[in-house]
Structures are given as structure tokens and as C-alpha cells.
Amino acid sequence: EEVKMFLRLLPILASTTIFWTTYAQMITFSVEQGVTLDRKIGRSFEIPAASLTVFMQGAVLATLPLYDRILIPCVRAWRRNEYGITSLQRIGAGLIFSTLSMVVAAMVERKRLRVAHVGHTASTLPMSVFYLVPQYVLTGVANALIYIGQLDLFYRESPYGMRSFTTGLCLGSFSIGFFFSSALVSSINGRTKHGKDLGWLTNDLNDGRLDYFYLLLAGFSFCSFLLYLIFAKWYIFNHTCRTAM
């Protein structure tokens, strides 16, 4: 029975791995985007492009108290149960935010490319770096929902003697997502280069189509969400979470 409990968790883990792939792109290509944009605050101070990840971490810090202190009590009163929102519902909401983050990132990149192709020759485009903030915030919200939801689900639903192992698998999905991210970038580079066409992902983002890549990730994220819905529908809670469904 304990083995069955453990095996039922694996499809949930597998269907959320793609989120960490989108997360990896947010802390790599988004930084490259930021380098090309106007990062000045005031007349002389220029913020580092990599520092924009503070908005992602800020979104995580803001989401957790809002979720625990406002959303959960309201849902508890509405649904009249102790648990409020299940871990599965929390993860599903995170996957939606992850998909939205990639769609927003694609829209911002398309705008950045339009500005770049107008004829600007300077290394810095006349477009504020703060256009990137929404995609960072959406990814941060998704991170707070998915990661904490996974930890909660795996701790509550795994056999007592395997809790440390199963919660460690959450970090395993993190690693797999980053590995898939590297493999995906290499694959896209190879398949989109044709003759003089440099492909979607180039050293100079102005010559590539990063927006197409973001839309591809949005499609992957949406398909991952649909797959997750199937696995979550089949999942049977073992403990107190059952009453919240």
C-alpha cells in the first residue's frame, strides 16, 4: 500500500516539471532582454539587468501571506471546511500563472523587437526595462503556488517513512526542468537555423525570435496543465485533504 501511495504521486510530479523549464528561461533569457533595455533610474544610476529577479522573489514573498491570511480563510468560510483549497488546486493555479507568464513574456519581447527594428543602432533601446516586471511577477506567483503546493502534497500524502525522500523529489523535478531547458534550447537552435536564418535563439536577441520561443513554452505549459488536470482528477487523497474536494 505504501508503494501505491508513492507511485500515485509520480504523475503529479512529472506534469509539473515543465514549470521549472519556464522558470529557467525567466532567469536566463529575460536577463539578456534586460541588458538591451533602458535600465537608468534618474540621470546616472543604472540598475543591473540580473537584479530584476528581485520582483520574482518579491512576488513569492507577497503571495504567501496573501494566500495564507486572506484567501484561505475566505475559502474556508465559503466552502465550510477546514482545509479550504487543496494542494492539487494550488498547484493547478500555479500552472495557469506559469502559462500566463510565458504569454506575457512573448508579448513584451515582440514589442522589444519592434523597437529594435525601427532603426536604433545604440546598444540600449529606448524602452524601459520595467516592461519585464509583469513576467517576473507572474513567474514568482506560480513559483509560490506550485512549489509550496508540491511540498504540502508530498508531505501529507506520502508514507510516513518516505516523507523525506518524496519531498526531496520536488527538488529533483527542479533539476529535471533545468536539464530539459538546456536540451530544448539546443534543439531549437539546431532546428530553426536555415542558411542565412540564424534561428530563434541567437547571441544577439535582435536577430532572433525569442518571442516564438516564449510562445512555444507557453504551449508546453498549457499542455502540461491539461495533463495535470487528468492526473489530478484521478488522484485519490489518503488523508484529511479528501474532505476539501
Side-chain angles (χ1 to χ4, degrees):
E1 289 300 318
E2 289 187 349
V3 173
K4 291 180 181 178
M5 291 168 61
F6 170 71
L7 292 178
R8 282 201 299 266
L9 292 169
L10 293 182
I12 302 296
L13 182 70
S15 58
T16 57
T17 300
I18 192 65
F19 164 70
W20 298 111
T21 299
T22 63
Y23 182 88
Q25 302 310 320
M26 198 56 58
I27 61 177
T28 52
F29 282 115
S30 291
V31 174
E32 291 189 36
Q33 287 177 287
V35 171
T36 67
L37 300 178
D38 182 10
R39 293 174 280 120
K40 287 186 177 181
I41 298 179
R43 294 185 177 182
S44 58
F45 183 73
E46 188 173 71
I47 62 174
S51 67
L52 288 178
T53 56
V54 71
F55 290 101
M56 187 188 304
Q57 307 308 324
V60 173
L61 294 176
T63 300
L64 294 178
L66 289 175
Y67 177 87
D68 289 332
R69 300 300 180 183
I70 298 178
L71 180 61
I72 289 298
C74 292
V75 175
R76 282 175 179 167
W78 173 49
R79 302 186 68 179
R80 296 180 180 179
N81 63 56
E82 181 181 356
Y83 197 73
I85 297 176
T86 67
S87 299
L88 290 177
Q89 292 167 340
R90 184 173 184 167
I91 296 171
L95 291 174
I96 294 176
F97 276 100
S98 174
T99 303
L100 289 176
S101 71
M102 289 294 98
V103 173
V104 171
M107 294 171 61
V108 172
E109 173 61 11
R110 188 157 294 182
K111 176 178 177 60
R112 193 195 67 82
L113 286 175
R114 285 200 298 267
V115 173
H117 293 162
V118 167
H120 297 285
T121 58
S123 58
T124 301
L125 300 177
M127 176 178 171
S128 174
V129 73
F130 293 106
Y131 273 95
L132 302 177
V133 171
Q135 63 198 58
Y136 278 111
V137 171
L138 289 171
T139 302
V141 174
N143 188 7
L145 295 174
I146 293 175
Y147 186 62
I148 304 301
Q150 276 186 333
L151 287 177
D152 182 59
L153 177 69
F154 276 63
Y155 185 81
R156 289 173 178 269
E157 295 294 305
S158 61
Y160 180 79
M162 300 181 66
R163 283 179 173 175
S164 296
F165 174 73
T166 53
T167 52
L169 285 177
C170 295
L171 292 177
S173 67
F174 182 93
S175 302
I176 294 172
F178 270 66
F179 176 80
F180 180 69
S181 171
S182 299
L184 184 62
V185 169
S186 298
S187 177
I188 293 297
N189 276 334
R191 293 181 177 274
T192 57
K193 288 181 180 179
H194 302 288
K196 295 183 180 180
D197 192 349
L198 299 178
W200 292 0
L201 307 175
T202 60
N203 292 329
D204 186 350
L205 294 182
N206 296 338
D207 296 328
R209 293 308 305 254
L210 182 60
D211 55 330
Y212 290 168
F213 183 64
Y214 280 150
L215 287 176
L216 178 65
L217 287 176
F220 283 156
S221 297
F222 184 70
C223 291
S224 176
F225 171 69
L226 295 179
L227 187 64
Y228 172 81
L229 288 181
I230 297 174
F231 292 142
K233 183 69 175 179
W234 288 345
Y235 189 83
I236 299 175
F237 283 99
N238 300 310
H239 302 302
T240 56
C241 294
R242 185 185 295 115
T243 60
M245 295 299 288

